[in-house]
Structure formats: C-alpha cells, structure tokens
C-alpha cells in the first residue's frame, strides 16, 4: 500500500508548489494537505486528497492534524524569530510523532554553507538549526523514526529582503544595505522549482524507502550558479530599466530604514537589526554553495535568477 503523505502548511509558496507537483506523483487518496486556509488549495486538482485546517499557533488544531499521515513534509513557521519559531516546530513535530508519522521531510533554509554543516551566523537560520538537531535527537529516542532535512536555497523571489525592498516597478538609484556587493555570492533558486524538487524527492523515497540515500541526512537544493549582491542588483536595474547601485550603510541604518523595519515585525517585536546578520552570512559564503541535486531531481537546469525576475515583470521589457 502507498503511504499517506502530508504537507503542512500546504497553502503557502513552498507548500502550494509542493502540492501542485505531488498530485501527479502520488495517488490523491493518499495525500493530506493541512493549512490555515485549506480552501486556497482548491485551485489545484486535489481529487480525493484530504484537506484539513490547522495553524502553527493554534495548539488545539494540531492535536489531530497529522492523524493517518505516514510521511510528512513539514515547512517552517513563517517568521524570522528564533525561540518562538523553534518552539512551534518542536510542538508540531511532537504532535506528528504522536499521530504516527514515521518520516519527516523538513523544509530548512540554505544558509550555513554545505548541507552537512550545523552552524550559521544568520539569525534567521537559528530556529532551523534547532529543528535539525531536534529531528536528529528523535531518531535515537523514537525507534523507527527517520527524517530528511531539505535546505532550501534562497528564493529568487525573496530578493527584496536583501536589497532594502527594492521594487522594479518603482526603482530607486541606490540600494542601501550593510554590504558592498562584492565577495561571495548567492545561489538564487526559483521557489516553485524548490517545491517541484521536493515533491520528486518524496516520490523517490516512497518508491524505494529502504534504498533512499538521504535518510537521516541534510540535502541542499540550490540554483545553478551564484551571483554576488552587486550582480544581483545590476540585474534588478536591468529588469527595471533603471541603473541601480549599492550604497553600503551601517547595520543600524539598514535596520531603521522605513522601507525595511515594518517588514520585520513579529509578535509586535522588530527584528530588522537581527536581519542584518544575513549580510555577514553572505560575506562568509553561507549562501554561495551550488548543489547539483535540484537539477538532477528536475531533469533540467534550474531557472536562472534573471529569468525568474524578468518573468515576474514582463511589462517592463
């Protein structure tokens, strides 16, 4: 019998693209999609898939959210916090194990460099590292449980987070960030291709659970090449038909930028200063590792950053 595969949260960017690409790869009757707003998933041909409502911040909704699920793709809590995010992940994992989940694919993040590393200077990576360690601990306390950590490279679509929220529709002359744009780059990757690659990875696990080579391991899904922040900003200028340059500023200046600060408020606490640690991570090469795995899973070269951004703004050509 085919195992039952669950996805939570299933209606966001990574969740939705994984749902889209899981549906043709697995019997819909053996799929469980769990989301805060499961009705959003009806845009997909969900067939006999089970749709459930649950929210990371609603303990009661998680009590039975994973019942009947054998294999769970757990996507991280949408925040840049550390402690609260870690606690929510641990709580959901505990409920999943209590419901009988035997295997978890965890959607981590592509900081840290090579996937086997277990440290990062990026604040946003700390909750992921906590969760990766917790999953590993559970393999020793829960016989029969296993996992795969999927470190997702930085989404091409997330470039505003690293460019002081530059908008090609309303370009400015300077991107003010605490970085000079040179040095180690970023292996940008299209978000939907991360979902597609993860769906294919789960399919391969289901087809050969005993021979699956990524059991209790961490893998990295990245784009096909790295771009420095300077090259990234140059492409954004090309797409917007407006020359753009980087102006290096202090971390405090970046954190207090009125275009930046409101985007990093979680539970009424500002995290924009914490976010500046990502630029130090870039300097250390934490996002510069190119892995061939995503291309192998897709059966083609992953889409380049410039292509993804240009397609998002076709009328600017």
């Amino acid at each position: 019998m085919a195992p039952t595969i669950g996805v939570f949260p299933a209606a966001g960017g990574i969740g939705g693209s994984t749902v889209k690409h899981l549906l043709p790869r697995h019997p819909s009757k053996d799929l469980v999609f769990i989301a805060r707003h499961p009705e959003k998933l009806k845009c997909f041909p969900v067939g006999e898939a089970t749709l459930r409502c649950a929210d990371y911040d609603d303990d009661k909704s998680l009590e039975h959210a994973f019942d009947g699920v054998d294999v769970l793709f757990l996507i991280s809590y949408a925040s840049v916090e550390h402690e609260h995010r870690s606690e929510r992940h641990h709580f959901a994992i505990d409920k999943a194990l209590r419901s009988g989940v035997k295997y978890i694919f965890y959607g981590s993040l592509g900081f840290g460099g090579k996937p086997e590393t277990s440290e990062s200077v990026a604040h946003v990576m700390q909750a992921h590292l906590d969760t990766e360690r917790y999953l590993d601990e559970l393999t020793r306390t829960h016989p029969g449980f296993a996992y795969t950590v999927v470190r997702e490279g930085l989404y091409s679509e997330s470039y505003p987070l690293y460019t002081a929220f530059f908008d090609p529709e309303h370009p400015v002359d300077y991107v003010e960030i605490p970085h000079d744009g040179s040095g180690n780059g970023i292996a940008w990757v299209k978000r939907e291709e991360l979902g597609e690659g993860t769906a294919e990875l789960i399919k391969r696990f289901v087809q050969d659970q005993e021979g699956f080579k990524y059991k209790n391991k961490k893998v990295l899904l990245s784009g096909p090449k790295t771009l420095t922040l300077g090259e990234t900003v140059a492409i954004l200028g090309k797409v917007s038909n407006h020359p753009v340059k980087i102006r290096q500023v202090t971390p405090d200046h970046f954190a207090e930028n009125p275009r930046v600060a409101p985007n990093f408020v979680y539970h009424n606490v500002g995290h924009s200063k914490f976010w500046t640690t990502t630029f130090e991570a870039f300097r250390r090469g934490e996002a510069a590792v190119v892995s061939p795995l995503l291309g192998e899973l897709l059966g083609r070269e992953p889409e380049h950053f410039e292509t993804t951004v240009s397609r998002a703004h076709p009328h600017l050509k």
Side-chain angles (χ1 to χ4, degrees):
M1 291 179 61
T4 297
I5 299 171
V7 178
F8 172 72
I14 286 291
S17 61
T18 305
V19 165
K20 174 183 175 181
H21 293 285
L22 264 179
L23 283 164
R25 288 173 165 84
H26 199 74
S28 64
K29 65 180 179 62
D30 298 315
L31 293 170
V32 178
F33 301 138
I34 309 156
R36 183 169 52 181
H37 299 290
E39 65 276 5
K40 292 182 179 180
L41 295 167
K42 293 181 180 179
C43 63
F44 299 113
V46 294
E48 298 178 75
T50 299
L51 303 183
R52 292 180 185 163
C53 181
D55 185 334
Y56 259 126
D57 282 318
D58 181 348
D59 289 3
K60 186 176 181 181
S61 74
L62 292 171
E63 286 292 335
H64 298 286
F66 310 110
D67 287 1
V69 173
D70 303 304
V71 179
L72 175 65
F73 177 35
L74 182 70
I75 300 161
S76 63
Y77 181 90
S79 166
V80 303
E81 297 164 290
H82 180 187
E83 289 81 4
H84 180 73
R85 202 180 190 195
S86 294
E87 190 275 330
R88 291 291 84 195
H89 291 167
H90 290 197
F91 186 86
I93 290 167
D94 289 346
K95 295 304 177 184
L97 264 64
R98 199 178 75 175
S99 289
V101 171
K102 295 297 184 184
Y103 204 104
I104 290 179
F105 285 83
Y106 171 65
S108 186
L109 186 59
F111 281 106
K114 294 181 179 179
E116 59 268 23
T117 61
S118 56
E119 58 184 28
S120 169
V121 298
H123 177 82
V124 69
M125 190 65 185
Q126 302 313 306
H128 292 295
L129 295 175
D130 287 349
T131 306
E132 292 177 6
R133 285 188 287 266
Y134 189 55
L135 289 168
D136 193 54
E137 291 169 9
L138 289 172
T139 63
R140 292 183 283 277
T141 57
H142 290 69
F145 171 73
Y147 69 90
T148 297
V149 167
V150 183
R151 286 193 177 173
E152 300 161 347
L154 275 59
Y155 314 159
S156 296
E157 298 88 343
S158 73
Y159 71 81
L161 299 172
Y162 311 99
T163 58
F165 292 86
F166 179 84
D167 180 2
E169 307 287 338
H170 302 93
V172 293
D173 296 334
Y174 293 96
V175 164
E176 296 186 333
I177 56 176
H179 196 289
D180 66 5
S182 65
N184 292 300
I186 303 164
W188 298 109
V189 58
K190 185 177 182 179
R191 186 170 60 186
E192 180 168 339
E193 290 188 337
L194 287 171
E196 182 180 353
T198 301
E200 178 63 23
L201 194 64
I202 294 171
K203 173 190 171 183
R204 294 186 185 187
F205 166 75
V206 169
Q207 289 178 332
D208 185 11
Q209 296 184 37
E210 293 301 318
F212 189 63
K213 61 183 179 181
Y214 302 117
K215 179 180 178 181
N216 295 335
K217 292 184 178 180
K218 295 179 282 189
V219 300
L220 173 66
L221 302 184
S222 80
K225 62 178 290 187
T226 60
L227 294 172
T228 66
L229 277 170
E231 292 168 333
T232 299
V233 167
I235 289 171
L236 293 174
K238 180 180 176 182
V239 170
S240 62
N241 296 309
H242 184 97
V244 186
K245 294 183 179 180
I246 289 176
R247 176 185 285 155
Q248 186 169 8
V249 298
T250 66
D252 285 337
H253 182 102
F254 174 86
E256 294 165 6
N257 185 332
R259 291 169 59 96
V260 171
N263 291 287
F264 292 106
V265 176
Y266 298 91
H267 295 101
N268 298 315
V269 176
H271 285 72
S272 56
K273 184 63 178 292
F274 290 122
W275 189 253
T276 63
T277 58
T278 60
F279 295 96
E280 177 59 26
F282 291 152
R283 278 187 279 271
R284 298 186 185 201
E286 288 195 23
V289 176
V290 172
S291 167
L293 179 58
L294 180 58
E296 192 269 317
L297 291 168
L298 298 176
R300 63 181 188 276
E301 183 175 81
E303 188 169 284
H304 287 244
F305 176 82
E306 183 170 352
T307 302
T308 302
V309 176
S310 296
R311 287 177 174 172
H313 303 278
H315 59 286
L316 292 178
K317 294 182 179 179

